Amino acid sequence: MELYFLGTGAGMPTTERNVTSIALRMFDERGTFWLFDAGEATQHQILRSPLKPSKLEKIFITHLHGDHIFGLPGLLSSRSHQGGTEPLDIYGPQGVRTFIETALQLSQSHINYELRFHELHEGVIYEDEQCTVESGLLDHRIESYGFRMIEKPRPGKLKVDELMKLGVQPGPMFGKIKQGIDLRLDDGRVIRASDMISEPQPGVIVTILGDTRPCQGSLRLAKDADVLVHEATFMEGLEDLAETYYHSTTKQAAETARDAGVGLLVLTHFSARYSEENPLVEEAKVIFDNTVAAKQHQLVPIRKY
């Protein structure tokens, strides 16, 4: 599981950065990817990436500002021509369905797969055997949400060394142990499967926030997250501007990461006034050391940090 950033800019695209879109790649776990926001030209960014629109399973929209949704109609239309036939779930605030359906209708765009819309609310919005997704309100000029993806515990690992010491060689017998089946050896000894598998491994927690000022909603969604993706539109010293436009500074993002006890802070949504991300990261590191900047077309591994 890993994050792939398709756009890291705020407000409007620049020559250095496209506007917001983040892919959560789950090729090993599900063979698919999820998309968080789809600013203008997201489909162009996907063409320059290892992502395939046919593998897009879900889209989560944080809020309805243009730099987060203007890429939706084109992406959805193109997906039909790029092998996408499976249903696509779209989670977003009230109005996202109207925006998409109006754009597709007026442009006479036809898609050959089902769109399934889910209006956001606070709490659990999706759950299956692999993960749970929660959403929560943030503090922005319009209704804006953050998302918390909680991976369920993964099965424990086979204690290979112990099994081999007992004379059990890799092969079908290993497979039975993995299935939870006890073994009876030729000499009468019984090996209990439960003794040969380690405890389940805790899943990872990933929090991706929409545009926001510092708020309790951010802290709740980010609590103990392994990876937190947080906007850092402005550098320190522009707190008044951030307050006026309902955004966060590098310092405020770092304070949220510190107070929530996260593992890794990934800064994104940078103002066009900054051509380099390093000064923003260095500011944040004063408060929260394990901070990196999101870079377009670069992966951020998701693990226990």
Side-chain angles (χ1 to χ4, degrees):
M1 191 182 299
E2 53 207 356
L3 293 168
Y4 188 96
F5 288 84
L6 296 161
T8 62
M12 61 182 183
T14 68
T15 55
E16 291 86 18
R17 305 184 192 100
N18 198 46
V19 283
T20 299
S21 186
I22 305 166
L24 177 61
R25 304 201 332 168
M26 296 181 286
F27 291 164
D28 291 341
E29 295 82 2
R30 306 172 74 97
T32 63
F33 73 96
W34 295 355
L35 199 63
F36 293 80
D37 289 335
E40 181 182 354
T42 291
Q43 65 170 318
H44 291 264
Q45 294 292 84
I46 288 177
L47 289 173
R48 300 182 181 94
S49 80
L51 304 170
K52 295 182 179 180
S54 61
K55 298 296 184 181
L56 175 59
E57 182 184 11
K58 298 181 185 298
I59 299 177
F60 298 86
I61 300 299
T62 61
H63 64 294
L64 301 184
H65 277 154
D67 58 324
H68 295 255
I69 66 168
F70 281 169
L72 279 171
L75 172 62
L76 297 178
S77 179
S78 296
R79 184 174 182 262
S80 282
H81 303 288
Q82 295 169 326
T85 57
E86 294 297 314
L88 180 63
D89 290 285
I90 299 178
Y91 299 78
Q94 183 178 6
V96 70
R97 178 174 191 155
T98 299
F99 169 73
I100 291 172
E101 290 184 341
T102 300
L104 294 178
Q105 179 184 5
L106 293 179
S107 63
Q108 297 188 26
S109 300
H110 302 286
I111 60 175
N112 58 2
Y113 57 89
E114 179 187 3
L115 287 178
R116 301 188 295 216
F117 292 94
H118 310 267
E119 189 172 305
L120 290 179
H121 56 81
E122 293 201 280
V124 175
I125 58 171
Y126 176 75
E127 184 172 9
D128 64 15
E129 67 281 357
Q130 291 181 322
C131 68
T132 299
V133 181
E134 300 174 0
S135 67
L137 277 168
L138 305 174
D139 183 13
H140 195 45
R141 282 196 299 119
I142 63 173
E143 189 178 28
S144 181
Y145 285 85
F147 301 100
R148 177 181 174 90
M149 196 281 289
I150 307 164
E151 184 185 33
K152 294 185 177 178
R154 287 166 282 181
K157 293 183 178 180
L158 206 61
K159 297 179 180 179
V160 174
D161 290 343
E162 292 188 33
L163 282 168
M164 294 186 71
K165 286 179 182 178
L166 293 170
V168 180
Q169 298 300 314
M173 298 180 81
F174 271 30
K176 288 183 178 181
I177 291 288
K178 288 181 180 178
Q179 296 171 36
I181 301 172
D182 295 341
L183 297 180
R184 181 177 294 276
L185 303 183
D186 293 340
D187 59 9
R189 289 179 297 161
V190 175
I191 299 176
R192 299 194 180 281
S194 59
D195 295 335
M196 294 296 112
I197 299 176
S198 65
E199 290 295 315
Q201 301 174 341
V204 295
I205 300 174
V206 182
T207 298
I208 298 175
L209 302 181
D211 292 2
T212 187
R213 295 189 295 199
C215 65
Q216 287 301 309
S218 297
L219 288 170
R220 285 194 300 271
L221 290 167
K223 179 67 175 175
D224 297 326
D226 297 290
V227 178
L228 167 64
V229 180
H230 197 302
E231 68 135 290
T233 308
F234 300 108
M235 292 184 70
E236 190 176 356
L238 294 179
E239 288 82 4
D240 290 345
L241 197 59
E243 177 75 13
T244 299
Y245 289 101
Y246 290 78
H247 285 296
S248 296
T249 65
T250 53
K251 178 181 177 182
Q252 290 167 340
E255 289 171 341
T256 295
R258 178 197 64 196
D259 295 345
V262 309
L264 174 70
L265 170 62
V266 184
L267 302 178
T268 190
H269 201 268
F270 306 114
S271 168
R273 70 185 63 207
Y274 308 119
S275 58
E276 279 289 326
E277 296 90 0
N278 286 342
L280 290 93
V281 172
E282 292 307 313
E283 273 194 355
K285 281 188 170 185
V286 173
I287 295 169
F288 189 79
D289 185 63
N290 200 20
T291 301
V292 298
K295 302 277 191 178
Q296 290 189 164
H297 300 296
Q298 288 190 10
L299 294 169
V300 175
I302 297 172
R303 57 179 176 82
K304 295 289 182 183
Y305 285 89

mmCIF file of all heavy atoms in Angstrom, residues 16-50:
data_model
loop_
_atom_site.group_PDB
_atom_site.id
_atom_site.type_symbol
_atom_site.label_atom_id
_atom_site.label_comp_id
_atom_site.label_asym_id
_atom_site.label_seq_id
_atom_site.Cartn_x
_atom_site.Cartn_y
_atom_site.Cartn_z
ATOM 1 N N GLU A 16 5.144 24.008 -12.045
ATOM 2 C CA GLU A 16 5.792 23.040 -11.147
ATOM 3 C C GLU A 16 4.809 22.016 -10.577
ATOM 4 O O GLU A 16 5.184 20.884 -10.296
ATOM 5 C CB GLU A 16 6.474 23.754 -9.968
ATOM 6 C CG GLU A 16 7.683 24.585 -10.332
ATOM 7 C CD GLU A 16 7.290 25.990 -10.772
ATOM 8 O OE1 GLU A 16 6.136 26.404 -10.469
ATOM 9 O OE2 GLU A 16 8.119 26.650 -11.419
ATOM 10 N N ARG A 17 3.558 22.428 -10.390
ATOM 11 C CA ARG A 17 2.609 21.558 -9.691
ATOM 12 C C ARG A 17 1.232 21.621 -10.329
ATOM 13 O O ARG A 17 0.746 22.694 -10.698
ATOM 14 C CB ARG A 17 2.462 21.977 -8.223
ATOM 15 C CG ARG A 17 3.728 22.050 -7.419
ATOM 16 C CD ARG A 17 3.397 22.382 -5.969
ATOM 17 N NE ARG A 17 4.610 22.743 -5.250
ATOM 18 C CZ ARG A 17 4.977 23.998 -4.992
ATOM 19 N NH1 ARG A 17 4.203 24.999 -5.380
ATOM 20 N NH2 ARG A 17 6.102 24.238 -4.351
ATOM 21 N N ASN A 18 0.599 20.459 -10.428
ATOM 22 C CA ASN A 18 -0.820 20.434 -10.774
ATOM 23 C C ASN A 18 -1.626 20.543 -9.479
ATOM 24 O O ASN A 18 -1.086 20.462 -8.379
ATOM 25 C CB ASN A 18 -1.189 19.151 -11.519
ATOM 26 C CG ASN A 18 -2.510 19.302 -12.266
ATOM 27 O OD1 ASN A 18 -2.721 20.296 -12.935
ATOM 28 N ND2 ASN A 18 -3.393 18.334 -12.124
ATOM 29 N N VAL A 19 -2.930 20.742 -9.619
ATOM 30 C CA VAL A 19 -3.782 20.867 -8.447
ATOM 31 C C VAL A 19 -4.071 19.485 -7.851
ATOM 32 O O VAL A 19 -3.716 18.456 -8.405
ATOM 33 C CB VAL A 19 -5.077 21.623 -8.793
ATOM 34 C CG1 VAL A 19 -4.810 23.128 -8.902
ATOM 35 C CG2 VAL A 19 -5.685 21.104 -10.081
ATOM 36 N N THR A 20 -4.791 19.488 -6.746
ATOM 37 C CA THR A 20 -4.842 18.336 -5.848
ATOM 38 C C THR A 20 -5.447 17.074 -6.440
ATOM 39 O O THR A 20 -6.550 17.090 -6.994
ATOM 40 C CB THR A 20 -5.630 18.701 -4.582
ATOM 41 O OG1 THR A 20 -4.962 19.764 -3.915
ATOM 42 C CG2 THR A 20 -5.727 17.517 -3.637
ATOM 43 N N SER A 21 -4.735 15.981 -6.282
ATOM 44 C CA SER A 21 -5.239 14.631 -6.512
ATOM 45 C C SER A 21 -4.233 13.647 -5.918
ATOM 46 O O SER A 21 -3.028 13.765 -6.150
ATOM 47 C CB SER A 21 -5.450 14.331 -7.995
ATOM 48 O OG SER A 21 -6.063 13.070 -8.153
ATOM 49 N N ILE A 22 -4.743 12.695 -5.157
ATOM 50 C CA ILE A 22 -3.894 11.729 -4.463
ATOM 51 C C ILE A 22 -4.436 10.333 -4.720
ATOM 52 O O ILE A 22 -5.629 10.083 -4.532
ATOM 53 C CB ILE A 22 -3.871 11.985 -2.945
ATOM 54 C CG1 ILE A 22 -3.452 13.430 -2.649
ATOM 55 C CG2 ILE A 22 -2.950 11.002 -2.237
ATOM 56 C CD1 ILE A 22 -3.733 13.849 -1.216
ATOM 57 N N ALA A 23 -3.575 9.436 -5.136
ATOM 58 C CA ALA A 23 -3.975 8.041 -5.336
ATOM 59 C C ALA A 23 -3.466 7.204 -4.184
ATOM 60 O O ALA A 23 -2.313 7.338 -3.753
ATOM 61 C CB ALA A 23 -3.415 7.502 -6.649
ATOM 62 N N LEU A 24 -4.327 6.336 -3.681
ATOM 63 C CA LEU A 24 -3.940 5.335 -2.697
ATOM 64 C C LEU A 24 -3.863 4.005 -3.426
ATOM 65 O O LEU A 24 -4.880 3.417 -3.791
ATOM 66 C CB LEU A 24 -4.955 5.276 -1.553
ATOM 67 C CG LEU A 24 -4.721 4.210 -0.467
ATOM 68 C CD1 LEU A 24 -3.380 4.430 0.232
ATOM 69 C CD2 LEU A 24 -5.856 4.200 0.541
ATOM 70 N N ARG A 25 -2.644 3.553 -3.684
ATOM 71 C CA ARG A 25 -2.437 2.317 -4.445
ATOM 72 C C ARG A 25 -2.518 1.119 -3.514
ATOM 73 O O ARG A 25 -1.828 1.051 -2.507
ATOM 74 C CB ARG A 25 -1.069 2.331 -5.134
ATOM 75 C CG ARG A 25 -0.855 3.511 -6.037
ATOM 76 C CD ARG A 25 0.222 3.323 -7.074
ATOM 77 N NE ARG A 25 1.304 2.408 -6.738
ATOM 78 C CZ ARG A 25 2.191 1.956 -7.626
ATOM 79 N NH1 ARG A 25 2.106 2.321 -8.889
ATOM 80 N NH2 ARG A 25 3.156 1.156 -7.271
ATOM 81 N N MET A 26 -3.371 0.165 -3.895
ATOM 82 C CA MET A 26 -3.536 -1.058 -3.107
ATOM 83 C C MET A 26 -3.453 -2.264 -4.029
ATOM 84 O O MET A 26 -4.307 -3.144 -4.014
ATOM 85 C CB MET A 26 -4.869 -1.013 -2.359
ATOM 86 C CG MET A 26 -4.929 0.112 -1.338
ATOM 87 S SD MET A 26 -6.481 0.156 -0.415
ATOM 88 C CE MET A 26 -7.554 0.802 -1.678
ATOM 89 N N PHE A 27 -2.433 -2.277 -4.865
ATOM 90 C CA PHE A 27 -2.305 -3.325 -5.872
ATOM 91 C C PHE A 27 -2.097 -4.694 -5.232
ATOM 92 O O PHE A 27 -2.640 -5.696 -5.692
ATOM 93 C CB PHE A 27 -1.165 -3.001 -6.827
ATOM 94 C CG PHE A 27 -1.457 -1.824 -7.721
ATOM 95 C CD1 PHE A 27 -0.455 -1.188 -8.416
ATOM 96 C CD2 PHE A 27 -2.752 -1.350 -7.876
ATOM 97 C CE1 PHE A 27 -0.714 -0.103 -9.246
ATOM 98 C CE2 PHE A 27 -3.026 -0.279 -8.702
ATOM 99 C CZ PHE A 27 -2.010 0.357 -9.394
ATOM 100 N N ASP A 28 -1.314 -4.763 -4.160
ATOM 101 C CA ASP A 28 -1.081 -6.052 -3.500
ATOM 102 C C ASP A 28 -2.326 -6.516 -2.756
ATOM 103 O O ASP A 28 -2.640 -7.705 -2.734
ATOM 104 C CB ASP A 28 0.094 -5.961 -2.527
ATOM 105 C CG ASP A 28 1.418 -5.795 -3.242
ATOM 106 O OD1 ASP A 28 1.479 -6.101 -4.450
ATOM 107 O OD2 ASP A 28 2.385 -5.355 -2.602
ATOM 108 N N GLU A 29 -3.037 -5.567 -2.123
ATOM 109 C CA GLU A 29 -4.176 -5.927 -1.292
ATOM 110 C C GLU A 29 -5.452 -6.152 -2.095
ATOM 111 O O GLU A 29 -6.227 -7.072 -1.802
ATOM 112 C CB GLU A 29 -4.441 -4.820 -0.251
ATOM 113 C CG GLU A 29 -3.330 -4.629 0.765
ATOM 114 C CD GLU A 29 -2.177 -3.772 0.254
ATOM 115 O OE1 GLU A 29 -2.269 -3.285 -0.898
ATOM 116 O OE2 GLU A 29 -1.195 -3.608 0.982
ATOM 117 N N ARG A 30 -5.711 -5.297 -3.101
ATOM 118 C CA ARG A 30 -6.987 -5.353 -3.818
ATOM 119 C C ARG A 30 -6.833 -5.378 -5.333
ATOM 120 O O ARG A 30 -7.800 -5.619 -6.052
ATOM 121 C CB ARG A 30 -7.845 -4.134 -3.447
ATOM 122 C CG ARG A 30 -8.063 -3.940 -1.969
ATOM 123 C CD ARG A 30 -8.740 -2.612 -1.671
ATOM 124 N NE ARG A 30 -10.140 -2.604 -2.015
ATOM 125 C CZ ARG A 30 -11.119 -2.825 -1.135
ATOM 126 N NH1 ARG A 30 -10.837 -3.052 0.132
ATOM 127 N NH2 ARG A 30 -12.386 -2.802 -1.517
ATOM 128 N N GLY A 31 -5.645 -5.040 -5.811
ATOM 129 C CA GLY A 31 -5.433 -4.942 -7.255
ATOM 130 C C GLY A 31 -6.035 -3.688 -7.850
ATOM 131 O O GLY A 31 -6.257 -3.612 -9.057
ATOM 132 N N THR A 32 -6.303 -2.680 -6.992
ATOM 133 C CA THR A 32 -6.958 -1.458 -7.440
ATOM 134 C C THR A 32 -6.275 -0.246 -6.809
ATOM 135 O O THR A 32 -5.339 -0.366 -6.031
ATOM 136 C CB THR A 32 -8.442 -1.449 -7.036
ATOM 137 O OG1 THR A 32 -8.537 -1.458 -5.598
ATOM 138 C CG2 THR A 32 -9.187 -2.653 -7.592
ATOM 139 N N PHE A 33 -6.805 0.949 -7.163
ATOM 140 C CA PHE A 33 -6.407 2.149 -6.433
ATOM 141 C C PHE A 33 -7.623 3.021 -6.184
ATOM 142 O O PHE A 33 -8.632 2.941 -6.878
ATOM 143 C CB PHE A 33 -5.299 2.933 -7.174
ATOM 144 C CG PHE A 33 -5.744 3.677 -8.408
ATOM 145 C CD1 PHE A 33 -6.079 5.023 -8.346
ATOM 146 C CD2 PHE A 33 -5.801 3.044 -9.649
ATOM 147 C CE1 PHE A 33 -6.474 5.721 -9.488
ATOM 148 C CE2 PHE A 33 -6.188 3.726 -10.792
ATOM 149 C CZ PHE A 33 -6.528 5.072 -10.711
ATOM 150 N N TRP A 34 -7.517 3.820 -5.127
ATOM 151 C CA TRP A 34 -8.542 4.807 -4.781
ATOM 152 C C TRP A 34 -7.985 6.187 -5.059
ATOM 153 O O TRP A 34 -6.772 6.414 -4.971
ATOM 154 C CB TRP A 34 -8.925 4.702 -3.311
ATOM 155 C CG TRP A 34 -9.598 3.414 -2.930
ATOM 156 C CD1 TRP A 34 -9.985 2.392 -3.757
ATOM 157 C CD2 TRP A 34 -9.951 3.000 -1.594
ATOM 158 N NE1 TRP A 34 -10.564 1.377 -3.036
ATOM 159 C CE2 TRP A 34 -10.568 1.721 -1.706
ATOM 160 C CE3 TRP A 34 -9.835 3.572 -0.342
ATOM 161 C CZ2 TRP A 34 -11.036 1.020 -0.595
ATOM 162 C CZ3 TRP A 34 -10.301 2.879 0.769
ATOM 163 C CH2 TRP A 34 -10.898 1.624 0.635
ATOM 164 N N LEU A 35 -8.870 7.118 -5.371
ATOM 165 C CA LEU A 35 -8.465 8.482 -5.682
ATOM 166 C C LEU A 35 -9.103 9.436 -4.681
ATOM 167 O O LEU A 35 -10.300 9.342 -4.399
ATOM 168 C CB LEU A 35 -8.900 8.840 -7.104
ATOM 169 C CG LEU A 35 -8.199 10.021 -7.788
ATOM 170 C CD1 LEU A 35 -6.713 9.734 -7.966
ATOM 171 C CD2 LEU A 35 -8.847 10.295 -9.139
ATOM 172 N N PHE A 36 -8.296 10.346 -4.156
ATOM 173 C CA PHE A 36 -8.777 11.376 -3.248
ATOM 174 C C PHE A 36 -8.635 12.724 -3.935
ATOM 175 O O PHE A 36 -7.534 13.217 -4.141
ATOM 176 C CB PHE A 36 -7.993 11.342 -1.933
ATOM 177 C CG PHE A 36 -8.247 10.093 -1.123
ATOM 178 C CD1 PHE A 36 -7.601 8.905 -1.438
ATOM 179 C CD2 PHE A 36 -9.144 10.097 -0.061
ATOM 180 C CE1 PHE A 36 -7.838 7.743 -0.718
ATOM 181 C CE2 PHE A 36 -9.388 8.940 0.661
ATOM 182 C CZ PHE A 36 -8.734 7.764 0.333
ATOM 183 N N ASP A 37 -9.786 13.277 -4.337
ATOM 184 C CA ASP A 37 -9.883 14.528 -5.091
ATOM 185 C C ASP A 37 -9.365 14.350 -6.525
ATOM 186 O O ASP A 37 -8.562 13.443 -6.813
ATOM 187 C CB ASP A 37 -9.172 15.683 -4.399
ATOM 188 C CG ASP A 37 -9.928 16.142 -3.145
ATOM 189 O OD1 ASP A 37 -11.150 15.919 -3.079
ATOM 190 O OD2 ASP A 37 -9.306 16.734 -2.255
ATOM 191 N N ALA A 38 -9.864 15.209 -7.381
ATOM 192 C CA ALA A 38 -9.502 15.118 -8.803
ATOM 193 C C ALA A 38 -9.536 16.508 -9.403
ATOM 194 O O ALA A 38 -10.487 16.902 -10.081
ATOM 195 C CB ALA A 38 -10.460 14.179 -9.547
ATOM 196 N N GLY A 39 -8.496 17.280 -9.131
ATOM 197 C CA GLY A 39 -8.395 18.612 -9.710
ATOM 198 C C GLY A 39 -8.233 18.546 -11.222
ATOM 199 O O GLY A 39 -8.018 17.486 -11.809
ATOM 200 N N GLU A 40 -8.344 19.699 -11.841
ATOM 201 C CA GLU A 40 -8.225 19.803 -13.299
ATOM 202 C C GLU A 40 -6.971 19.081 -13.799
ATOM 203 O O GLU A 40 -5.900 19.174 -13.208
ATOM 204 C CB GLU A 40 -8.167 21.282 -13.685
ATOM 205 C CG GLU A 40 -8.066 21.545 -15.172
ATOM 206 C CD GLU A 40 -7.971 23.022 -15.481
ATOM 207 O OE1 GLU A 40 -8.098 23.844 -14.544
ATOM 208 O OE2 GLU A 40 -7.779 23.366 -16.663
ATOM 209 N N ALA A 41 -7.116 18.346 -14.909
ATOM 210 C CA ALA A 41 -6.018 17.637 -15.578
ATOM 211 C C ALA A 41 -5.531 16.417 -14.809
ATOM 212 O O ALA A 41 -4.457 15.884 -15.100
ATOM 213 C CB ALA A 41 -4.841 18.564 -15.883
ATOM 214 N N THR A 42 -6.327 15.922 -13.875
ATOM 215 C CA THR A 42 -5.940 14.692 -13.178
ATOM 216 C C THR A 42 -5.741 13.541 -14.155
ATOM 217 O O THR A 42 -4.810 12.738 -14.015
ATOM 218 C CB THR A 42 -6.990 14.317 -12.118
ATOM 219 O OG1 THR A 42 -6.943 15.273 -11.049
ATOM 220 C CG2 THR A 42 -6.739 12.929 -11.547
ATOM 221 N N GLN A 43 -6.607 13.448 -15.177
ATOM 222 C CA GLN A 43 -6.445 12.348 -16.129
ATOM 223 C C GLN A 43 -5.132 12.466 -16.906
ATOM 224 O O GLN A 43 -4.532 11.451 -17.272
ATOM 225 C CB GLN A 43 -7.632 12.273 -17.079
ATOM 226 C CG GLN A 43 -7.820 13.446 -18.017
ATOM 227 C CD GLN A 43 -8.878 13.145 -19.078
ATOM 228 O OE1 GLN A 43 -8.918 12.049 -19.623
ATOM 229 N NE2 GLN A 43 -9.744 14.118 -19.348
ATOM 230 N N HIS A 44 -4.656 13.681 -17.145
ATOM 231 C CA HIS A 44 -3.355 13.851 -17.802
ATOM 232 C C HIS A 44 -2.230 13.350 -16.893
ATOM 233 O O HIS A 44 -1.272 12.719 -17.361
ATOM 234 C CB HIS A 44 -3.127 15.328 -18.148
ATOM 235 C CG HIS A 44 -4.025 15.847 -19.214
ATOM 236 N ND1 HIS A 44 -3.668 15.919 -20.537
ATOM 237 C CD2 HIS A 44 -5.301 16.311 -19.158
ATOM 238 C CE1 HIS A 44 -4.671 16.400 -21.255
ATOM 239 N NE2 HIS A 44 -5.675 16.643 -20.436
ATOM 240 N N GLN A 45 -2.354 13.652 -15.595
ATOM 241 C CA GLN A 45 -1.349 13.185 -14.651
ATOM 242 C C GLN A 45 -1.348 11.658 -14.560
ATOM 243 O O GLN A 45 -0.285 11.038 -14.439
ATOM 244 C CB GLN A 45 -1.619 13.792 -13.270
ATOM 245 C CG GLN A 45 -1.453 15.309 -13.200
ATOM 246 C CD GLN A 45 -0.012 15.726 -13.374
ATOM 247 O OE1 GLN A 45 0.502 15.855 -14.495
ATOM 248 N NE2 GLN A 45 0.674 15.933 -12.262
ATOM 249 N N ILE A 46 -2.512 11.054 -14.640
ATOM 250 C CA ILE A 46 -2.596 9.600 -14.599
ATOM 251 C C ILE A 46 -1.901 8.988 -15.807
ATOM 252 O O ILE A 46 -1.242 7.946 -15.704
ATOM 253 C CB ILE A 46 -4.075 9.153 -14.516
ATOM 254 C CG1 ILE A 46 -4.638 9.477 -13.123
ATOM 255 C CG2 ILE A 46 -4.220 7.660 -14.804
ATOM 256 C CD1 ILE A 46 -6.104 9.154 -12.949
ATOM 257 N N LEU A 47 -2.003 9.638 -16.963
ATOM 258 C CA LEU A 47 -1.333 9.132 -18.158
ATOM 259 C C LEU A 47 0.182 9.084 -17.988
ATOM 260 O O LEU A 47 0.858 8.278 -18.628
ATOM 261 C CB LEU A 47 -1.683 10.008 -19.374
ATOM 262 C CG LEU A 47 -3.116 9.908 -19.906
ATOM 263 C CD1 LEU A 47 -3.354 10.945 -20.998
ATOM 264 C CD2 LEU A 47 -3.406 8.503 -20.413
ATOM 265 N N ARG A 48 0.707 9.943 -17.131
ATOM 266 C CA ARG A 48 2.151 9.988 -16.878
ATOM 267 C C ARG A 48 2.547 9.137 -15.673
ATOM 268 O O ARG A 48 3.669 9.255 -15.177
ATOM 269 C CB ARG A 48 2.587 11.440 -16.648
ATOM 270 C CG ARG A 48 2.297 12.368 -17.836
ATOM 271 C CD ARG A 48 2.803 13.787 -17.557
ATOM 272 N NE ARG A 48 2.514 14.680 -18.659
ATOM 273 C CZ ARG A 48 1.447 15.460 -18.742
ATOM 274 N NH1 ARG A 48 0.547 15.453 -17.757
ATOM 275 N NH2 ARG A 48 1.239 16.243 -19.782
ATOM 276 N N SER A 49 1.632 8.336 -15.203
ATOM 277 C CA SER A 49 1.856 7.548 -13.994
ATOM 278 C C SER A 49 1.715 6.061 -14.305
ATOM 279 O O SER A 49 1.287 5.677 -15.397
ATOM 280 C CB SER A 49 0.826 7.946 -12.931
ATOM 281 O OG SER A 49 -0.427 7.303 -13.183
ATOM 282 N N PRO A 50 2.024 5.195 -13.331
ATOM 283 C CA PRO A 50 1.803 3.754 -13.521
ATOM 284 C C PRO A 50 0.354 3.339 -13.264
ATOM 285 O O PRO A 50 0.031 2.157 -13.343
ATOM 286 C CB PRO A 50 2.743 3.131 -12.489
ATOM 287 C CG PRO A 50 2.866 4.154 -11.420
ATOM 288 C CD PRO A 50 2.783 5.476 -12.095
#
